[in-house]
Amino acid sequence: MEATAVSLARSVLDGVLSNAGSAVADEVARLIGVPKEVDFIRNELEMMQAFLKVSSTNPVPSDTVRTWVKQVRDLAYDVEDCLLDFALYAARTSSSRATGSWWLTPGAIAARHRIAARIRDLKASVEELNQRNLRYHVVVGSPAVAPRAADEQPAVLPDGGQDASSAAELAFQSSLVRMVHNDPDLLDEFDYDVWVTVPHPLDNPEVFRRRLRKELGLARDRSVAEYLHEKRYLVVVDDLHSQEEWENICQVFPHQLFKNRKGSRIIVTTRREDVARHCAAHVAGWDGHVYELKPLGDDESLDLFCQKVKATHVYKKTDYVCPPYMMDQAKRILERCHGLPLAISTIGGLLANRPKTGIEWENLHQHLGAELGSDLRNITKVIVSSYDGLPYDLKSIFLYLSIFPENHEIRRTRLLRRWMAEGYIAKNRDMPVENVAERVYSELINRSMIQPSKASLGVRADRCRVHSILLKIILDKFIEENQLFLIEKQSGEVPQSKIRHLVVSRWKKKYEKLQNINPSYIRSLTIFGECPASLISQKMRLLRVLDLEDTSNLKNSDLKHIGKLQHLRYLCLRGTDISKLPSSLQNLRYLETLDIQDTQVRELPGGVAKLEKLRYLLSGVSFTKDLLQKMGESGKVNYKTRLFGNIGACLCCNSSECCKVYNVDQFSVRAPDGIEKLKNLHMLGLVNVGKGNGVAARLKNLTNLTNLRRLGITGLSEKEGMELCKSIGELRRLQRLEVRSYSLKFLIKTDGESSTQPRMPRHLVSLRLCGDLSNMPRWISSLNDLTKVKLLGTQLKQGDIEQLQNLCNLALLGLWEHSYMDTSLHFCSGTFPKLKFLDIDGIKEIETVTILDGAMPELEQLWVNKCPSLCDDSPGLSGVPYVLKLNELVLKNCGEKEKLIKILQAQVNGHIRRPKFLIGKSILRTTSTQDTSQQ
């Protein structure tokens, strides 16, 4: 625990000293007459930081030291809070002194006295802390040589040690079931197959019902029981914790479903034998069985170990083989793991970032000797060792993950932006803070501390999760340090200490704990599920992160105090029913992230242009495969006449009358006046810049956004499109571009060689186009940095796709609904050299997909979905044996394709990599299809 306390304290001190050493702090201190006090505090904090640096390397298991370290951290928080108020005061002062409007007013004088008094109180607190240090002899000798207590108790799970080994096996158990679930011969016997991971705590059936309905692609008003009544289905229920959870799930599967006699099956994974036997007994009419997972064998253990050891940058590009001279050490280490996959993965991840030497591995083996022995329950000690081996700055960052519930898939960008808002990511003079955060994220994955969950269509781990054992360990540490408080079913009494992070999960109106919480010290508020009424209070004056993503029952009135939260840096309302933002939003001078994507907000307050520190402005409906479908579901008018003016209409008719603009703002946000002044913006989109929407006449001024990395834009006429191209051609840092319009043909007109002709940015890495393009512009073949291309409604043909075939870095190609109009699609030898993922979805006209020998040599995933015209014979999808690196082949929702499936199954069986082959015979109705592969 002391290592955790030290790492948390050091992280806070790093941020405090950075702020305390700034010119702003010095200027404020001089103005209010306390420069000596500020210097004293700064010097004392530097000495504390030096002490903690030594302690973090060789922690002393002393209760006295741990208590003192906590007090140092709390004092550092108080100093940081004061400095934040200073910065607000200084910002207001600098703008008002020039005009004389506020500097000499009674309010300004009172503010100066109040801040000066706080500084003097902090100085007294620092002196008192130092006296306490001397009084109780906290530092006795050098902590670097202090011995480790022999009787120190190992960390155990709160559930008790008996569950630890079975929990360690759960991930491997789930993997085994996943292999069975992906077997095409098995799936061919069922009408529907779904995989549902149980959210925890599962205290009512509705939560599970919503997840099951989503996986089945059912609309909200459809009954799961009625839908499955006459179906032969396979449902996997993953990670069940208790018999009570199973009783809730059973309510979703009424008695008649268990007795439908269609040969349906429910597979449950659980770490508890009593739960497994309870489930099996419950479905005795189905001859329920219990399968107990066995440990890995020697060969499997060694394979998994080598796979984890190779995770460093040196080894990750090739298969790592343990050298013969290190084989003895490897086997001795694996003997300690007893075939437990989690133990092997954790130790392999621990070694992945250490020298590959016999001495290093021998030292680890000796270290594990006392910790594992023959008792499998001590697997948690190995995991704690892996955590303790993290650098101090990574400890606090990793602990932060305990905010998210078990089995929750965490979006990468959400996590990174929260880290930055909290101040966990140290600034680097040679690297943008976003790049530093990306490195931290990658390092945690390489160390096996977090698990990549859903890769971004086979290219990058855009979602992650924390293993349940790791989560329990870090959750206990974070709560023990009084950093986190959870409002949920298991919550205890509200602690008397200062709560820094508040999480509301599975809210029930009967809870009264919120009334007993002091909100004035809370740094982050995160809500999962329902939002309690009147929770967001102006008393949360130090709040930095307000994360309400996918929160239900959130109303516009719940945001009325937003403008009072002047330290807010991260505001996420994504996926909520919010339709209007308060005008007081303009007061959030520190706001860096404003995420209102997939909400009902269609217009931003005019004061948004005053948010000078804003870096990420995300709005509108996200770019997904079912974008056309969302248009159709949005109102009574058919989607063919609604899609951003009329993308759908252009796809289905030639009449010029179809080309009128309808509801152009419906799936985007009107750009407010002055948005081009936000020079710190890194991401902007999706904004509507059409006529009458604020910036149509100022498209040229987009060149002021010199830091812009990502731009999403819609509502363009041909003339406005040409203006846009001229502007973005000057944005040298632009990497991701998304354009939606009923016609994208203005992009073709940028192909001219004239010096007056607009040019597209040459360093784009991602391009998303939605609208009638008809012909691929020639300039796209020169974008050698391009890694992702997603097309929707572009109406292209074979020759247009060939414009992409020689791009040397293209890793992902998504051809979605109405993007391709030919009946055949060919990939020739030597083309698409780096493509890893090919996603063909909703192309109704396509009959054959042909891959020739030598095409797409790096392809790992090939998905063909909702292509009903595909030939039911070998020409339907040919060339799979030539794709030597293929890991996953998907053929779903293409109708009855029995011949093609048998051919592909034979090809997969004989493939060198034996890729997964996922199939599905049914075509889901377009009115109920749900897409979950995009974010």
Side-chain angles (χ1 to χ4, degrees):
M1 183 189 74
E2 68 278 2
T4 300
V6 170
S7 65
L8 286 171
R10 284 195 63 193
S11 295
V12 177
L13 277 174
D14 286 349
V16 171
L17 288 172
S18 175
N19 290 329
S22 68
V24 173
D26 290 336
E27 174 68 8
V28 173
R30 186 185 63 80
L31 289 175
I32 63 179
V34 287
K36 293 182 179 179
E37 286 84 352
V38 170
D39 284 340
F40 172 82
I41 293 172
R42 180 187 297 146
N43 294 333
E44 289 296 313
L45 291 179
E46 286 176 350
M47 291 300 296
M48 294 176 190
Q49 187 185 44
F51 169 79
L52 293 175
K53 184 176 182 179
V54 177
S55 299
S56 64
T57 306
N58 296 282
V60 182
S62 164
D63 290 338
T64 307
V65 172
R66 286 196 291 265
T67 301
W68 188 79
V69 167
K70 285 184 179 180
Q71 292 175 356
V72 169
R73 184 199 62 223
D74 289 340
L75 179 59
Y77 270 122
D78 291 339
V79 174
E80 187 176 31
D81 295 342
C82 187
L83 289 175
L84 289 173
D85 285 338
F86 285 174
L88 279 176
Y89 173 83
R92 188 175 182 184
T93 298
S94 61
S95 61
S96 62
R97 288 181 71 191
T99 61
S101 60
W102 184 73
W103 175 245
L104 296 176
T105 63
I109 296 173
R112 290 199 295 275
H113 283 298
R114 183 177 65 253
I115 293 173
R118 286 183 64 188
I119 283 288
R120 295 186 179 100
D121 288 343
L122 284 172
K123 179 186 176 184
S125 297
V126 171
E127 291 174 333
E128 182 180 348
L129 184 63
N130 289 337
Q131 290 297 320
R132 196 177 301 126
N133 174 19
L134 297 174
R135 188 183 312 132
Y136 294 102
H137 308 288
V138 173
V139 184
V140 182
S142 172
V145 296
R148 186 176 181 89
D151 58 347
E152 185 181 359
Q153 295 298 314
V156 295
L157 292 177
D159 297 356
Q162 187 173 1
D163 249 4
S165 61
S166 58
E169 296 174 3
L170 184 65
F172 184 58
Q173 185 179 14
S174 298
S175 298
L176 181 65
V177 174
R178 178 74 72 178
M179 292 173 62
V180 175
H181 176 261
N182 289 341
D183 188 292
D185 291 333
L186 174 68
L187 296 183
D188 196 40
E189 300 297 323
F190 296 93
D191 297 317
Y192 294 99
D193 62 276
V194 293
W195 182 290
V196 184
T197 301
V198 179
H200 302 296
L202 181 65
D203 46 20
N204 67 79
E206 186 56 34
V207 176
F208 184 83
R209 183 179 286 111
R210 284 200 301 266
R211 287 206 173 188
L212 180 59
R213 183 183 289 118
K214 182 178 181 179
E215 294 298 327
L216 288 170
L218 293 179
R220 293 183 180 180
D221 57 349
R222 295 292 302 275
S223 167
V224 171
E226 292 178 1
Y227 185 73
L228 294 178
H229 182 59
E230 296 298 327
K231 304 291 192 308
R232 180 180 172 90
Y233 58 85
L234 170 65
V235 176
V236 177
V237 179
D238 185 36
D239 193 18
L240 192 68
H241 279 191
S242 65
Q243 297 181 18
E244 291 74 19
E245 288 184 346
W246 176 247
E247 296 302 326
N248 281 317
I249 291 173
C250 286
Q251 296 182 46
V252 181
F253 297 96
H255 183 71
Q256 65 268 23
L257 281 184
F258 287 111
K259 301 292 185 180
N260 75 355
R261 301 301 179 186
K262 298 290 184 180
S264 299
R265 290 291 185 269
I266 297 178
I267 299 177
V268 177
T269 69
T270 179
R271 68 189 64 173
R272 291 176 50 178
E273 182 179 351
D274 63 319
V275 174
R277 298 199 179 282
H278 177 74
C279 296
H282 192 283
V283 291
W286 282 7
D287 299 322
H289 298 282
V290 175
Y291 176 78
E292 183 178 357
L293 187 67
K294 305 300 181 184
L296 293 179
D298 293 343
D299 292 340
E300 292 86 355
S301 296
L302 183 60
D303 288 343
L304 178 59
F305 179 73
C306 291
Q307 178 184 346
K308 293 300 179 181
V309 168
K310 75 176 182 180
T312 59
H313 297 294
V314 177
Y315 294 98
K316 68 180 180 180
K317 294 184 179 179
T318 59
D319 292 333
Y320 175 70
V321 177
C322 185
Y325 62 87
M326 296 178 66
M327 187 62 73
D328 287 343
Q329 287 91 338
K331 289 182 177 180
R332 294 171 70 188
I333 290 172
L334 290 174
E335 285 176 0
R336 300 289 187 185
C337 296
H338 303 282
L340 292 177
L342 181 60
I344 298 170
S345 297
T346 302
I347 294 171
L350 197 61
L351 289 174
N353 293 277
R354 295 184 179 181
K356 275 59 176 180
T357 64
I359 294 177
E360 185 74 23
W361 289 18
E362 176 63 25
N363 290 339
L364 179 66
H365 171 259
Q366 293 177 359
H367 179 63
L368 290 174
E371 296 188 353
L372 275 179
S374 59
D375 191 349
L376 300 186
R377 291 177 297 177
N378 283 335
I379 179 62
T380 54
K381 194 65 181 295
V382 178
I383 297 173
V384 171
S385 296
S386 184
Y387 165 79
D388 288 340
L390 291 174
Y392 88 92
D393 54 331
L394 282 186
K395 280 192 178 78
S396 55
I397 289 174
F398 182 55
L399 285 178
Y400 194 76
L401 287 161
S402 58
I403 285 175
F404 298 92
E406 185 175 354
N407 290 330
H408 185 86
E409 289 190 344
I410 309 170
R411 200 176 69 255
R412 177 184 57 84
T413 52
R414 180 185 191 181
L415 186 59
L416 268 55
R417 289 167 195 160
R418 287 190 57 149
W419 281 342
M420 291 185 286
E422 295 275 12
Y424 285 126
I425 306 299
K427 295 180 180 179
N428 188 317
R429 290 181 300 175
D430 302 323
M431 187 183 301
V433 65
E434 289 83 2
N435 293 15
V436 178
E438 292 277 5
R439 282 195 174 185
V440 169
Y441 181 80
S442 298
E443 185 170 357
L444 288 175
I445 288 180
N446 289 340
R447 289 174 175 267
S448 298
M449 303 304 289
I450 59 178
Q451 301 169 328
S453 181
K454 283 187 177 179
S456 176
L457 301 181
V459 177
R460 181 171 59 178
D462 270 356
R463 290 177 182 263
C464 70
R465 64 173 60 188
V466 184
H467 192 279
S468 57
I469 295 182
L470 275 169
L471 180 60
K472 288 181 179 179
I473 291 172
I474 63 175
L475 182 60
D476 283 350
K477 288 179 178 291
F478 215 35
I479 292 176
E480 187 178 16
E481 293 298 321
N482 296 325
Q483 296 296 294
L484 174 67
F485 186 69
L486 300 173
I487 298 290
E488 60 177 15
K489 185 177 180 179
Q490 288 84 6
S491 294
E493 296 300 320
V494 176
Q496 298 299 313
S497 56
K498 301 172 182 178
I499 297 172
R500 305 293 179 180
H501 304 280
L502 178 63
V503 176
V504 180
S505 179
R506 312 288 180 225
W507 169 254
K508 291 185 180 296
K509 295 181 180 179
K510 64 181 181 181
Y511 292 162
E512 298 179 354
K513 294 169 185 163
L514 289 179
Q515 300 175 3
N516 301 323
I517 293 177
N518 183 353
S520 60
Y521 298 102
I522 295 175
R523 297 292 186 95
S524 75
L525 171 61
T526 310
I527 300 178
F528 300 97
E530 184 176 351
C531 178
S534 304
L535 174 62
I536 305 168
S537 165
Q538 58 184 335
K539 295 180 180 179
M540 298 178 178
R541 64 180 189 85
L542 296 177
L543 198 68
R544 292 187 176 192
V545 170
L546 179 56
D547 193 341
L548 307 177
E549 183 167 336
D550 294 325
T551 299
S552 61
N553 200 35
L554 184 67
K555 299 178 176 60
N556 292 343
S557 57
D558 292 324
L559 304 179
K560 60 185 177 182
H561 296 302
I562 283 289
K564 299 291 185 180
L565 311 180
Q566 296 189 51
H567 294 298
L568 201 63
R569 287 162 165 78
Y570 179 95
L571 174 58
C572 182
L573 306 172
R574 179 183 295 216
T576 66
D577 293 329
I578 290 295
S579 60
K580 186 177 182 180
L581 298 176
S583 59
S584 61
L585 193 74
Q586 67 182 15
N587 298 332
L588 306 181
R589 294 177 178 269
Y590 289 126
L591 193 65
E592 298 171 355
T593 297
L594 176 58
D595 190 342
I596 53 173
Q597 188 167 297
D598 293 323
T599 66
Q600 303 300 315
V601 177
R602 296 295 171 257
E603 189 167 1
L604 294 170
V608 166
K610 297 181 180 179
L611 306 179
E612 296 179 354
K613 293 186 180 294
L614 196 63
R615 299 168 76 92
Y616 310 99
L617 176 53
L618 306 169
S619 60
V621 175
S622 56
F623 192 101
T624 56
K625 296 179 181 180
D626 59 353
L627 188 57
L628 293 176
Q629 175 195 327
K630 289 179 180 178
M631 300 297 171
E633 293 175 347
S634 64
K636 297 181 180 179
V637 180
N638 189 282
Y639 82 86
K640 295 179 181 179
T641 60
R642 298 182 70 93
L643 180 55
F644 293 108
N646 62 346
I647 291 176
C650 291
L651 297 175
C652 305
C653 74
N654 296 320
S655 171
S656 61
E657 293 183 359
C658 292
C659 295
K660 297 177 181 178
V661 176
Y662 296 92
N663 299 309
V664 74
D665 293 332
Q666 187 173 2
F667 290 90
S668 59
V669 169
R670 288 173 175 257
D673 292 345
I675 200 169
E676 70 277 6
K677 298 177 182 178
L678 299 179
K679 296 183 179 181
N680 283 318
L681 273 180
H682 282 56
M683 294 187 179
L684 174 62
L686 181 78
V687 292
N688 190 310
V689 295
K691 288 185 177 179
N693 285 310
V695 297
R698 300 191 307 279
L699 279 171
K700 295 179 181 179
N701 292 333
L702 287 179
T703 55
N704 293 334
L705 304 180
T706 54
N707 287 305
L708 205 61
R709 268 77 166 174
R710 171 179 161 184
L711 175 64
I713 208 159
T714 187
L716 297 164
S717 65
E718 181 174 314
K719 181 179 179 181
E720 291 164 346
M722 295 297 291
E723 291 291 339
L724 170 70
C725 293
K726 291 178 182 178
S727 296
I728 64 177
E730 301 298 322
L731 299 176
R732 305 303 182 190
R733 297 184 179 182
L734 191 66
Q735 297 177 350
R736 293 172 173 84
L737 177 63
E738 177 181 335
V739 185
R740 307 182 195 178
S741 180
Y742 68 88
S743 174
L744 298 176
K745 294 181 180 179
F746 57 83
L747 295 175
I748 304 172
K749 295 186 177 181
T750 62
D751 279 335
E753 299 297 331
S754 171
S755 59
T756 61
Q757 203 73 13
R759 295 181 179 272
M760 299 299 288
R762 291 294 186 241
H763 299 294
L764 287 180
V765 298
S766 174
L767 182 62
R768 300 178 179 184
L769 300 177
C770 179
D772 181 14
L773 186 59
S774 298
N775 294 289
M776 188 73 78
R778 293 195 305 272
W779 51 257
I780 201 169
S781 60
S782 65
L783 303 181
N784 290 319
D785 292 337
L786 205 59
T787 60
K788 297 182 182 180
V789 173
K790 299 177 183 179
L791 304 173
L792 180 63
T794 50
Q795 303 190 83
L796 301 175
K797 296 185 178 180
Q798 176 69 39
D800 300 307
I801 302 302
E802 291 174 1
Q803 296 271 8
L804 305 171
Q805 65 185 13
N806 294 320
L807 292 175
C808 56
N809 286 298
L810 187 64
L812 181 152
L813 176 59
L815 300 176
W816 298 345
E817 187 174 355
H818 289 297
S819 64
Y820 188 77
M821 306 305 291
D822 275 351
T823 58
S824 62
L825 179 60
H826 296 269
F827 297 93
C828 299
S829 179
T831 61
F832 295 95
K834 293 294 181 67
L835 196 68
K836 290 186 176 182
F837 185 86
L838 175 60
D839 185 12
I840 303 172
D841 196 293
I843 309 297
K844 303 294 195 299
E845 298 80 9
I846 200 166
E847 299 175 0
T848 62
V849 177
T850 305
I851 303 173
L852 300 181
D853 189 7
M856 300 184 290
E858 300 292 326
L859 194 69
E860 297 176 0
Q861 290 176 282
L862 173 57
W863 289 6
V864 181
N865 187 40
K866 291 188 288 186
C867 297
S869 300
L870 209 64
C871 293
D872 186 21
D873 209 336
S874 56
L877 179 56
S878 62
V880 170
Y882 299 136
V883 188
L884 300 181
K885 293 190 177 182
L886 191 66
N887 291 325
E888 184 175 274
L889 174 63
V890 174
L891 182 68
K892 284 193 172 184
N893 307 317
C894 294
E896 298 290 337
K897 297 289 182 288
E898 295 184 4
K899 293 180 182 178
L900 179 59
I901 288 174
K902 289 181 179 179
I903 293 170
L904 293 175
Q905 181 64 69
Q907 293 176 350
V908 166
N909 291 341
H911 196 281
I912 187 173
R913 284 188 174 241
R914 188 66 187 272
K916 299 176 185 177
F917 184 28
L918 309 180
I919 60 173
K921 296 183 295 183
S922 304
I923 303 177
L924 298 180
R925 297 180 181 179
T926 57
T927 57
S928 62
T929 302
Q930 297 284 336
D931 180 276
T932 59
S933 64
Q934 302 299 302
Q935 48 246 291

